[in-house]
Amino acid sequence: MSPLSRNLLAAIVIPLVVILDQWSKYLVLAEPRFNARNCLDGTQPCGGIEVSTMFDLTMLWNRGMSFGALQSEGIMRWVLVAVTVAIAIGFGIWLAQAARRITALALALVVGGAIGNVIDRVRFGAVVDFFDFSGIWPPYFFNYVFNVADAAITVGAVLLFFDQFILSRHGQSAPRPANGR
């Protein structure tokens, strides 16, 4: 993949993920039925909107990582911000050297998602989550509430796994430059 097309892909995907993520969260925060700002401190319940038997919009403040892992407050909030930023920078460096389009796309999705969630964590101390598919097969199938950034990170991670462990093992590795480096 040429540096120009890799940079163009990153310049489109990363801001697109951040914009879609922040716009969707803005809509949730602005909707009174979610009671989002009032439930941030935990003294009032957050709200939701029933959409169907399988899918709801459920406001949740996530103080941890994707899908609620490693819940943290206080100084650990800033540790989580620092770790997330470090991972995003590391993936950004990897992205700048990505030889395959799928690698660049996967990394751009993860970086865009990480930036979207870091913005929330810095602004509010928690991340706005609202997509709730727990009605698909309760309580066993998927009891997580997530957002656009989490979805981008997950899709990027799956694509990265596919790229690194499936494509690279089946002769789809990146072409080497003529000088052998």
Side-chain angles (χ1 to χ4, degrees), residues 152-173:
I153 291 167
T154 301
V155 170
V158 169
L159 286 175
L160 198 56
F161 175 84
F162 179 74
D163 175 52
Q164 297 299 302
F165 295 104
I166 308 297
L167 290 181
S168 65
R169 295 187 193 274
H170 287 82
Q172 297 289 324
S173 56

Side-chain angles (χ1 to χ4, degrees), residues 73-138:
E73 294 187 55
I75 191 71
M76 289 308 294
R77 161 191 176 189
W78 297 107
V79 170
L80 198 51
V81 166
V83 168
T84 304
V85 168
I87 290 169
I89 289 169
F91 275 36
I93 292 168
W94 186 4
L95 172 60
Q97 301 167 4
R100 289 191 297 266
R101 186 168 281 111
I102 192 169
T103 308
L105 175 61
L107 293 167
L109 286 168
V110 172
V111 170
I115 292 169
N117 281 342
V118 161
I119 291 169
D120 284 13
R121 195 165 312 285
V122 168
R123 285 181 65 199
F124 306 114
V127 174
V128 177
D129 285 343
F130 53 92
F131 290 130
D132 181 357
F133 287 91
S134 61
I136 291 177
W137 188 11

Side-chain angles (χ1 to χ4, degrees), residues 16 24 28 30 36 46 48 58 62-63 89 98 100 108 118 134-135 138 147 153:
L16 183 63
S24 64
V28 168
C46 294
T58 304
N62 180 354
R63 288 173 172 75
I89 289 169
R100 289 191 297 266
V118 161
S134 61
N147 58 44
I153 291 167

Side-chain angles (χ1 to χ4, degrees), residues 2-72:
S2 76
L4 178 61
S5 60
R6 179 180 52 239
N7 293 341
L8 184 60
L9 179 69
I12 292 171
V13 172
I14 293 172
L16 183 63
V17 168
V18 173
I19 289 167
L20 287 174
D21 177 65
Q22 291 298 301
W23 176 68
S24 64
K25 291 171 180 175
Y26 167 79
L27 294 175
V28 168
L29 292 172
E31 173 56 53
R33 290 178 284 182
F34 290 119
N35 195 34
R37 304 258 185 196
N38 295 326
C39 71
L40 178 59
D41 63 3
T43 59
Q44 295 183 30
C46 294
I49 299 172
E50 256 188 68
V51 178
S52 74
T53 57
M54 295 188 301
F55 171 69
D56 293 322
L57 296 170
T58 304
M59 174 59 211
L60 178 77
W61 287 105
N62 180 354
R63 288 173 172 75
M65 295 178 74
S66 292
F67 305 112
L70 301 175
Q71 293 290 314
S72 59

